[in-house]
Amino acid sequence: MRGSRRTASPIRLSLNPVLGGDIDGAWWPRSEALARELPDLIEALHVPLGEILDININWSATTTAPILDSKFATATRSMGWNDRRHRIMVVVGRNGCARLLVIPQTTTQALGWMVMRQAAAMPGLDEGPDVPEYAVADRVVRAARAESASSVGRSLHSPVAGGALD
């Protein structure tokens, strides 16, 4: 890649410096138009992963994004909120691979930042189990890790390893 792009809204990406976990970080797009933001994501991942060779996702264009909102955490839990269908993107580069939880753009600021930190295994700031967003972020990241570790989630592999897009 040559040159660098400058955007009015910086990319929201967290990445664990040690890759290879069930979830290595999170990407929080600013709009539903993921294709518009994808070049910035690829540019940001170029340094840690090398040239980007492939991107695999576990959702289709007709699948709605999960709703992440700490205000509705109790209600969504009691309604049988589907913890297992979080959007996971596997970005495969020449030098590595990153499994990213894709946070819905409608997620509140406090919850979005907390999910990003937990997905990248970054130490917390002042949050703790008493903060509603902390509990929801913890639940979301745990569910995403479980999904990624499942046989369905693991079928999103590097093309070098012979995997395919689900």
Side-chain angles (χ1 to χ4, degrees):
M1 298 177 94
R2 295 177 197 217
S4 64
R5 297 165 33 100
R6 213 168 240 279
T7 60
S9 301
I11 187 168
R12 298 184 294 193
L13 173 69
S14 64
L15 194 61
N16 191 323
V18 179
L19 302 176
D22 292 321
I23 294 292
D24 296 309
W27 176 40
W28 186 14
R30 295 181 184 279
S31 72
E32 288 182 18
L34 300 182
R36 207 175 320 148
E37 297 186 46
L38 199 54
D40 292 328
L41 176 67
I42 290 170
E43 183 178 343
L45 292 173
H46 188 260
V47 170
L49 301 180
E51 178 187 2
I52 304 303
L53 304 173
D54 197 15
I55 297 176
N56 295 312
I57 58 174
N58 72 337
W59 73 91
S60 71
T62 59
T63 306
T64 59
I67 297 171
L68 305 184
D69 192 338
S70 58
K71 294 178 185 172
F72 301 108
T74 303
T76 55
R77 203 169 23 251
S78 65
M79 291 186 298
W81 178 47
N82 186 352
D83 285 332
R84 295 166 305 193
R85 285 310 289 167
H86 291 286
R87 290 181 168 188
I88 299 171
M89 174 183 280
V90 180
V91 182
V92 180
R94 190 166 304 283
N95 304 328
C97 177
R99 301 173 80 75
L100 303 175
L101 170 61
V102 180
I103 302 169
Q105 79 281 354
T106 57
T107 304
T108 62
Q109 284 272 332
L111 181 56
W113 290 116
M114 211 163 290
V115 170
M116 287 184 65
R117 292 185 71 75
Q118 287 191 25
M122 298 168 83
L125 299 173
D126 293 332
E127 73 266 4
D130 297 334
V131 176
E133 290 86 0
Y134 179 88
V136 174
D138 183 62
R139 184 172 179 189
V140 165
V141 172
R142 285 178 190 267
R145 283 187 176 125
E147 180 177 350
S148 180
S150 73
S151 60
V152 172
R154 279 292 167 194
S155 66
L156 293 169
H157 287 298
S158 156
V160 175
L165 177 63
D166 277 353

